[in-house]
Amino acid sequence: MTVTDPRTSTPAKVTPIGPNGEEVTSKVPFHMKDSLHVPAERYYSREFYDLEKEKLWSHVWQMACREEEIPDPGDFVEYEIVGKSFLLVRQNDGSVKALHNACRHRGTQLGKGSGRFPGGQIVCPFHGWRWKTDGQCSHVFGREGFSDGVLSRDEIDLPECLVDTWGGHVWINMDRDAGPLREALFPVADILDHVNVGNMRVKWWKEVVLNCNWKLAQEAFFESYHVKQTHPQLYTQHNQDDADETNRSLPEYQSFVNGHGLFQGGDAQRGSTHGNATNLLEMARVLWSGQDAMTLERDLWVMESVSGKVDPTDPQFGLATVDALFEYWESAGIPAYERRPEALKLWGGDVFMFPNYLMLPMYNNCLCYRVTPYNDDPEQCKFEVWSLTAYPEGNEPGRPESLGRFDKDDADHWGLIPRQDFSNIERMQQGIKAPSFTETRLAAKWELTISNMHEELDRRLAAEY
Amino acid sequence: MPWVTVEPSGVRFEVREGESVAEAAWRQGYVWPTKCWGQADCMSCFTKIVDGELSAVPAGTEELDAMRLKMVARVRGPMVRLACRLTVKKDGLVLHKQGVRVPEDVPNSNQAITG
Ligand code: FES
């Protein structure tokens, strides 16, 4: 696949760098030795975790929030990562700033969770120091009590991170000298632009805390090789002898520069991702009821209307469904995208954006995962799940709120599919600490995007800043 | 857009849908006493409804809890509200609040310190 970098209009190199040399490995404990094994300590070592804090999180572009979480000037949301807190604040000119969330006096956090600064003022709850929403200090309570020089402007204005937006998300980088966002997200942002994820808005989002390293948790979503064993209800839709171990849906896996990767199974010729399912309508129902994100109820209505004309077991049903979906979006005023093979191929695909964000587009929806370390513990993570979809123009919902945090086995709040995944994830974290277990071993055919992520991580950890 | 009147100064201004009375005042350059700038924290913005009660949206739990916990008893009362949480649905609300006025010069909210 040829991907053209839109910024330069010259073909950029998308292929991954591969295993690292001595200049990297000599600087990183528990480094990757080859692309087929991941040393187990990378998932629980405190030393490794601390190095990630210092060299990865402090210098990498990361997804901080959704744009619609802060629609109006003065709206804010807090983003916390490895014990550091930032306030994402919508400015009067529509831009976003990411301010270090600490009073310049004695460090009190200036905002928690999400909310508004309605008077355009951020006020410290401790002694009442104030800043404008752009971080400029506007008032020091009892100024006369401070010595000369203690309150110079550059000391008391709130420091900022770099901020940029892509795909309806706000991304930040704590390192003010970092390169541009789109370079860091290359080439996966360009690939996702084929389905215009930037048109989508939050339908729902919620989170779970897992007793598992953040990397181990996200890697569970890097391949579809686990589907047959973990999610039998999805697999039984396929017309395949149970004894046959090969995954006939044959997704293609690609590793890219910058640690990114994807798999996609779309059969662009037929225009269907479920190339081998016997009954696409049944399959869609199972995906909707088990997850409610990649397939939504409105997609089912469209498919059901098609099933009145074409039998869902007929191979033509897939193509008729694609026609019907594009027609429906157009008639409902829902912004879509060009119907091209690159777009349809992504349906049911899974795009990993280094270091910790996944986007799984389907139709005009996208399921997203963000996995971050939790509680300053290498063996805990916060796993957030978003359901995005495109709404009819002018009918986008307002400021979304998280539905909350739910237990991993809470069947009222998590569908069958995520519950099946979560239950494996914690068992992996326990298992990799077995005395005989020194490294994971990966399938060259299906699991190399995992080592590609780790190899990029090692390069980050070895970097001198 | 609904109008509110504030006694004793007689100041009148418009409040947008979903916007609080204090925010509307600040946005239009009026002084409305505050220390926390709208975080339901300082209680300085408290105001009393003197007329047109039905034009006000009733207090939600956040506002009620804040007043119960942080407002001195002598100020509390059935008609007392936090202006930074008080929203309005139609014309005719009359409030009482000392210290609400048209600023003499620059609104203090945006007066940047120098040096
Ligand atoms: S402005 Fe402080 S409580 Fe309303």
Side-chain angles (χ1 to χ4, degrees):
Chain A
M1 179 163 144
T2 327
V3 177
T4 307
D5 180 350
R7 290 165 295 113
T8 59
S9 300
T10 55
K13 194 169 152 57
V14 299
T15 46
I17 296 170
N20 298 303
E22 170 75 16
E23 72 291 349
V24 168
T25 56
S26 62
K27 295 190 191 123
V28 181
F30 317 117
H31 57 260
M32 294 287 286
K33 296 186 193 74
D34 59 58
S35 303
L36 300 176
H37 301 88
V38 182
E41 292 91 340
R42 295 170 73 90
Y43 300 112
Y44 55 81
S45 152
R46 169 59 64 174
E47 180 190 0
F48 194 83
Y49 178 85
D50 286 342
L51 197 60
E52 287 176 346
K53 273 167 82 169
E54 182 195 334
K55 296 286 184 75
L56 175 71
W57 298 111
S58 305
H59 297 278
V60 75
W61 281 103
Q62 51 207 286
M63 199 288 257
C65 70
R66 288 283 312 167
E67 286 226 49
E68 62 266 41
E69 284 181 74
I70 44 171
D72 298 318
D75 288 347
F76 77 90
V77 62
E78 182 190 9
Y79 172 64
E80 188 269 340
I81 182 74
V82 291
K84 298 179 171 75
S85 171
F86 304 94
L87 295 177
L88 284 300
V89 190
R90 183 70 69 178
Q91 303 295 301
N92 293 331
D93 67 359
S95 67
V96 178
K97 281 191 184 282
L99 306 172
H100 291 213
N101 188 10
C103 175
R104 301 297 292 168
H105 175 210
R106 284 166 64 186
T108 312
Q109 288 196 335
L110 299 171
K112 291 301 278 175
S114 62
R116 274 184 62 63
F117 298 120
Q121 300 283 303
I122 305 171
V123 184
C124 178
F126 195 2
H127 298 94
W129 287 29
R130 285 208 310 266
W131 293 264
K132 294 197 284 181
T133 48
D134 64 2
Q136 206 185 101
C137 190
S138 51
H139 185 73
V140 172
F141 196 74
R143 229 188 135 72
E144 68 279 8
F146 290 84
S147 317
D148 291 347
V150 173
L151 300 181
S152 67
R153 165 114 281 154
D154 54 333
E155 297 259 350
I156 59 175
D157 286 348
L158 299 176
E160 312 169 24
C161 303
L162 293 184
V163 178
D164 203 353
T165 57
W166 169 82
H169 307 86
V170 180
W171 305 73
I172 68 163
N173 197 318
M174 294 176 220
D175 184 346
R176 305 271 317 159
D177 298 320
L181 171 71
R182 286 306 292 265
E183 243 165 57
L185 295 185
F186 180 80
V188 277
D190 306 80
I191 292 171
L192 285 160
D193 282 340
H194 289 310
V195 288
N196 261 348
V197 289
N199 284 339
M200 301 177 192
R201 302 286 178 271
V202 175
K203 181 165 182 287
W204 54 258
W205 111 78
K206 50 192 163 186
E207 64 184 50
V208 60
V209 170
L210 298 171
N211 292 309
C212 176
N213 179 267
W214 66 277
K215 301 184 293 298
L216 202 64
Q218 69 183 19
E219 286 161 21
F221 302 89
F222 278 33
E223 35 79 11
S224 69
Y225 164 49
H226 74 281
V227 171
K228 190 171 185 186
Q229 192 72 25
T230 305
H231 311 294
Q233 78 277 18
L234 295 181
Y235 213 78
T236 46
Q237 300 302 326
H238 286 76
N239 183 14
Q240 190 175 349
D241 184 339
D242 200 43
D244 185 348
E245 290 186 4
T246 314
N247 186 342
R248 288 273 192 80
S249 55
L250 282 182
E252 68 184 67
Y253 291 85
Q254 284 178 284
S255 294
F256 299 115
V257 279
N258 298 319
H260 309 306
L262 69 73
F263 69 81
Q264 51 188 3
D267 176 347
Q269 258 56 52
R270 291 185 53 220
S272 157
T273 57
H274 312 121
N276 212 39
T278 44
N279 189 329
L280 288 174
L281 186 56
E282 258 320 297
M283 176 81 172
R285 284 199 187 108
V286 175
L287 253 183
W288 168 64
S289 67
Q291 187 192 63
D292 185 29
M294 291 171 76
T295 300
L296 301 178
E297 201 171 7
R298 78 174 187 207
D299 305 312
L300 278 183
W301 294 337
V302 172
M303 289 187 200
E304 271 158 12
S305 75
V306 174
S307 73
K309 291 169 239 149
V310 187
D311 189 284
T313 58
D314 186 320
Q316 286 306 308
F317 184 78
L319 205 54
T321 297
V322 181
D323 292 339
L325 283 167
F326 275 91
E327 277 161 29
Y328 164 67
W329 297 329
E330 185 166 0
S331 65
I334 297 171
Y337 43 86
E338 230 181 290
R339 181 175 171 170
R340 283 189 300 192
E342 297 92 321
L344 299 189
K345 253 176 118 164
L346 275 170
W347 289 12
D350 183 313
V351 180
F352 169 64
M353 313 183 87
F354 185 89
N356 68 329
Y357 197 58
L358 286 123
M359 297 192 83
L360 291 76
M362 177 93 121
Y363 314 140
N364 219 341
N365 317 317
C366 193
L367 169 65
C368 308
Y369 300 128
R370 179 174 68 180
V371 194
T372 45
Y374 183 71
N375 212 13
D376 203 28
D377 183 349
E379 298 194 67
Q380 280 191 295
C381 68
K382 182 164 81 170
F383 195 108
E384 291 161 282
V385 183
W386 282 265
S387 164
L388 309 182
T389 190
Y391 287 87
E393 246 157 292
N395 277 323
E396 294 89 355
R399 197 175 177 179
E401 265 183 57
S402 170
L403 297 176
R405 181 177 296 173
F406 304 103
D407 271 1
K408 65 176 195 305
D409 41 20
D410 180 341
D412 291 336
H413 292 100
W414 296 112
L416 180 58
I417 299 170
R419 273 183 286 134
Q420 290 167 327
D421 287 314
F422 296 156
S423 94
N424 283 341
I425 285 170
E426 291 196 343
R427 289 165 68 154
M428 286 160 74
Q429 186 69 25
Q430 292 306 307
I432 51 147
K433 290 185 289 178
S436 59
F437 197 91
T438 56
E439 55 190 6
T440 66
R441 38 196 56 71
L442 303 175
K445 204 166 174 180
W446 303 303
E447 295 175 320
L448 291 189
T449 53
I450 295 176
S451 39
N452 185 52
M453 184 260 293
H454 281 274
E455 285 160 353
E456 174 68 14
L457 176 58
D458 278 354
R459 289 187 282 277
R460 302 285 179 136
L461 300 183
E464 307 284 350
Y465 292 105
Chain B
M1 240 185 288
W3 288 80
V4 298
T5 310
V6 189
E7 306 294 358
S9 58
V11 159
R12 261 169 66 80
F13 55 81
E14 279 186 318
V15 182
R16 290 178 181 157
E17 192 191 324
E19 184 183 47
S20 73
V21 169
E23 182 173 2
W26 297 329
R27 176 173 55 78
Q28 292 164 91
Y30 297 97
V31 173
W32 192 291
T34 181
K35 288 197 186 67
C36 76
W37 289 89
Q39 301 304 314
D41 232 0
C42 68
M43 305 296 114
S44 306
C45 68
F46 80 89
T47 180
K48 191 167 179 184
I49 296 177
V50 292
D51 201 6
E53 191 195 347
L54 293 178
S55 299
V57 177
T61 44
E62 187 202 15
E63 181 181 346
L64 292 171
D65 286 353
M67 291 193 292
R68 192 167 42 77
L69 288 169
K70 294 179 259 193
M71 192 177 275
V72 291
R74 74 182 153 74
V75 175
R76 272 191 305 232
M79 289 296 157
V80 172
R81 300 287 304 268
L82 292 181
C84 72
R85 288 296 175 276
L86 170 60
T87 55
V88 183
K89 52 189 171 199
K90 57 181 179 8
D91 272 347
L93 186 64
V94 182
L95 300 168
H96 185 273
K97 179 66 179 172
Q98 292 290 349
V100 173
R101 57 186 161 81
V102 186
E104 290 103 52
D105 193 359
V106 197
N108 69 350
S109 64
N110 286 319
Q111 202 163 20
I113 57 161
T114 42

